[in-house]
Amino acid sequence: GAQAVMRGGGQRHLRADARCSLLVCGEAQSANPQTTPRVTVTGLGERATLHLVRNADHSFKPAARSGRSAADVEAEALDALADWVCAS
């Protein structure tokens, strides 16, 4: 998953892949500023796209106080994927 990709050398692994990439992450993905999804995608250049799922953690679990259900979060992630595929 995205979390495994971003640990130690994740950008090197993704940079070696010349294809376009979509990274879908919960906006509460990481507390470490060096491994945030934004840092990872910025390092990949224009061929990478990031979608941060609102009020979700790294496993797409919604924050309890957000009022969002797991289905809401999953639908947002799937919509982001569908939009990216259609635009590619």
Side-chain angles (χ1 to χ4, degrees):
Q3 189 174 23
V5 166
M6 289 188 286
R7 288 189 184 148
Q11 282 186 358
R12 284 190 305 275
H13 166 75
L14 290 172
R15 270 191 236 122
D17 188 343
R19 295 173 289 188
C20 292
S21 300
L22 171 66
L23 186 61
V24 180
C25 301
E27 67 182 357
Q29 179 71 30
S30 174
N32 180 346
Q34 298 303 312
T35 61
T36 64
R38 282 190 179 92
V39 169
T40 299
V41 170
T42 299
L44 297 175
E46 292 182 14
R47 62 187 173 83
T49 301
L50 172 65
H51 179 85
L52 293 175
V53 179
R54 287 182 309 108
N55 299 310
D57 68 9
H58 66 279
S59 63
F60 300 110
K61 181 179 176 186
R65 62 181 161 255
S66 71
R68 298 186 84 196
S69 68
D72 294 335
V73 169
E74 291 170 7
E76 181 180 340
L78 290 171
D79 286 345
L81 174 61
D83 291 347
W84 182 80
V85 168
C86 290
S88 296

